[in-house]
């Protein structure tokens, strides 16, 4: 009998890739999304699959379904999207977690939370290990996301202690790949879209701040390995690529890979933007036998191809609209 798996946020960037992976693993998949940031085009290739079902639902309200596992990915993850409605972002993290944990408790099933490296804030420990408690500004413009995810982790481990629930928490570091939203404000999608259009590559600050970028296929592999680990898991696990790069280096690499004539343009650094971010993935290597396989250059080429096709389709659609209105 096929395992029935619930994926909240299933039409989002990560969620759509996870749904596809689970279908390939012979699971039945219930994709739940309110389409605030998720896009139907992300899951269109899956709609013809008999084992795939889509439900429009907001996780801040209870959900009554029968499933065997739960992946809780529902929450806007880019600054532009989560700062658009910060109160709703916090509600999605906290109330969504309470509702999904309540469902898992009723069904007595395993649940995985997609947490984030943002729980570390602007870290003074580098690279970041799971036992580092972070340095987060709880009243800043990013706090709706950062503190929402920190509270979610608290809830998950309180349910584990109080109700003996089988919980898994993945702290996801910067991830990129096809199905990213072209206007999500994340650095990889920003740089690629700007380069393909020939616009200036906007770098905030001096460009010396660093990030570590994990290709989406590797990330999804890490999540499914964590969920399928047969024994209990103590504490969160970092999932990301430890290869570190400055924003200036990333901009120059994307210009090179796209063959663009874009130039770098420097702007003021936003409040609370982390200076550095790099995961220590020792626990993921030890417990999950997982390490990223896709190089940054290889992953960027695939992502550039995706955005190139997306922009080409958009330009064609604009031409059709123009012709129709003439």
């Amino acid at each position: 009998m096929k395992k029935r798996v619930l994926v909240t946020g299933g039409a989002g960037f990560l969620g759509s890739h996870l749904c596809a992976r689970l279908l390939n693993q012979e699971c039945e998949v219930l994709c739940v999304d309110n389409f605030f940031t998720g896009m139907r085009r992300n899951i269109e290739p899956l709609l013809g699959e008999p084992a795939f079902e889509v439900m429009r639902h907001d996780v801040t309200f209870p959900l009554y379904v029968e499933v065997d596992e739960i992946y809780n990915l529902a929450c806007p993850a880019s600054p532009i999207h989560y700062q658009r409605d910060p109160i709703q972002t916090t509600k999605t993290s906290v109330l969504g977690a309470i509702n999904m944990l309540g469902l898992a408790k009723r069904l007595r099933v395993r649940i995985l939370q997609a947490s984030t490296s943002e729980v570390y804030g602007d870290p003074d420990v580098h690279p970041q290990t799971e036992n580092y408690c972070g340095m987060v500004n709880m009243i800043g413009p990013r706090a709706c996301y950062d503190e929402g995810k920190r509270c979610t982790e608290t809830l998950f481990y309180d349910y584990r202690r109080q109700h003996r629930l089988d919980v898994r928490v993945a702290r996801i570091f910067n991830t990129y790949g096809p199905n990213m939203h072209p206007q999500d404000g994340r650095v990889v999608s920003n740089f690629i879209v700007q380069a393909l259009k020939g616009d200036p590559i906007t770098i905030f600050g001096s460009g010396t701040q660093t990030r570590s970028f994990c290709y989406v296929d590797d990330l999804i592999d890490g999540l499914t390995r964590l969920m399928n680990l047969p024994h209990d898991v103590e504490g969160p696990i970092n999932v990301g690529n430890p290869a570190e790069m400055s924003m200036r280096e990333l901009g120059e690499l994307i210009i090179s890979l796209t063959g663009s004539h874009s130039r770098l343009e420097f702007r003021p650094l936003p409040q609370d933007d982390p200076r550095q971010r790099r995961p220590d993935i020792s626990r993921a290597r030890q417990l999950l036998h997982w390490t990223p396989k896709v190089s940054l250059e290889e992953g960027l080429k695939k992502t550039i191809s995706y955005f190139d096709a997306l922009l080409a389709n958009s330009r064609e659609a604009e031409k059709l609209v123009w012709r129709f209105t003439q």
Side-chain angles (χ1 to χ4, degrees):
M1 187 173 177
K2 284 187 175 182
K3 184 165 57 177
R4 182 167 165 81
V5 183
L6 167 62
V7 179
T8 70
F13 164 46
L14 295 181
S16 58
H17 284 275
L18 177 59
C19 288
R21 180 70 62 90
L22 292 169
L23 288 171
N24 287 337
Q25 294 176 353
E26 300 297 320
C27 297
E28 291 184 356
V29 177
L30 173 59
C31 166
V32 168
D33 207 298
N34 67 352
F35 294 95
F36 178 68
T37 57
M39 297 182 292
R40 193 166 184 84
R41 72 162 173 256
N42 288 344
I43 54 173
E44 275 179 358
L46 311 179
L47 294 177
E49 296 284 344
F52 185 68
E53 180 183 353
V54 183
M55 178 186 295
R56 184 184 287 270
H57 180 81
D58 187 331
V59 295
T60 61
F61 297 94
L63 180 64
Y64 303 100
V65 293
E66 302 298 318
V67 293
D68 303 304
E69 282 180 353
I70 302 169
Y71 286 85
N72 187 36
L73 275 63
C75 189
S78 73
I80 284 179
H81 290 153
Y82 67 63
Q83 291 175 7
R84 185 186 303 166
D85 190 344
I87 294 172
Q88 185 63 29
T89 296
T90 303
K91 288 171 68 177
T92 300
S93 286
V94 177
L95 295 180
I98 289 171
N99 287 328
M100 291 305 107
L101 286 163
L103 178 62
K105 177 190 168 191
R106 178 178 72 83
L107 299 174
R108 301 311 303 176
V109 299
R110 184 176 296 170
I111 179 169
L112 182 146
Q113 169 64 28
S115 189
T116 173
S117 61
E118 297 298 334
V119 300
Y120 297 121
D122 188 6
D124 53 9
V125 169
H126 193 73
Q128 291 79 58
T129 57
E130 290 89 349
N131 60 5
Y132 174 56
C133 293
M135 189 168 63
V136 175
N137 176 7
M138 72 279 290
I139 61 171
R142 301 169 68 100
C144 59
Y145 184 69
D146 302 2
E147 292 291 353
K149 291 289 190 175
R150 286 163 68 93
C151 184
T152 296
E153 289 196 18
T154 300
L155 285 164
F156 264 66
Y157 289 103
D158 281 340
Y159 266 78
R160 182 178 185 270
R161 284 183 287 264
Q162 188 170 336
H163 299 297
R164 299 185 181 278
L165 200 60
D166 186 352
V167 304
R168 312 288 163 98
V169 174
R171 287 181 178 163
I172 298 172
F173 282 68
N174 291 64
T175 306
Y176 69 99
N179 293 4
M180 294 184 81
H181 195 293
Q183 284 91 39
D184 65 7
R186 299 188 211 192
V187 63
V188 171
S189 50
N190 266 8
F191 284 8
I192 290 176
V193 170
Q194 288 168 343
L196 290 172
K197 289 182 173 182
D199 295 338
I201 304 292
T202 53
I203 294 179
F204 295 99
S206 64
T208 57
Q209 68 270 35
T210 65
R211 297 292 184 272
S212 303
F213 299 100
C214 185
Y215 188 64
V216 63
D217 288 354
D218 284 334
L219 189 282
I220 297 302
D221 183 45
L223 294 186
T224 56
R225 283 174 184 248
L226 177 55
M227 176 64 96
N228 294 326
L229 205 63
H231 55 77
D232 192 27
V233 182
E234 281 282 348
I237 293 184
N238 288 338
V239 185
N241 194 320
E244 192 174 6
M245 172 175 276
S246 75
M247 296 302 92
R248 185 180 193 120
E249 290 171 329
L250 178 67
E252 291 170 346
L253 176 59
I254 287 175
I255 288 173
S256 172
L257 292 175
T258 56
S260 175
H261 298 294
S262 296
R263 57 182 176 80
L264 302 182
E265 183 178 277
F266 296 88
R267 296 184 181 179
L269 195 66
Q271 182 181 343
D272 300 329
D273 192 62
R275 295 158 295 168
Q276 53 190 9
R277 188 63 61 69
R278 178 189 171 201
D280 182 316
I281 60 168
S282 302
R283 294 194 73 223
R285 286 193 178 108
Q286 178 187 357
L287 295 174
L288 310 180
H289 307 291
W290 175 86
T291 189
K293 295 181 174 62
V294 180
S295 70
L296 181 60
E297 186 167 328
E298 179 187 351
L300 285 176
K301 286 178 180 177
K302 294 179 180 179
T303 310
I304 289 166
S305 295
Y306 167 77
F307 278 113
D308 196 24
L310 196 64
L311 291 174
N313 289 337
S314 297
R315 286 190 291 267
E316 190 60 34
E318 287 171 5
K319 287 179 185 176
L320 290 172
V321 170
W322 184 85
R323 287 172 187 164
F324 181 76
T325 55
Q326 297 312 298

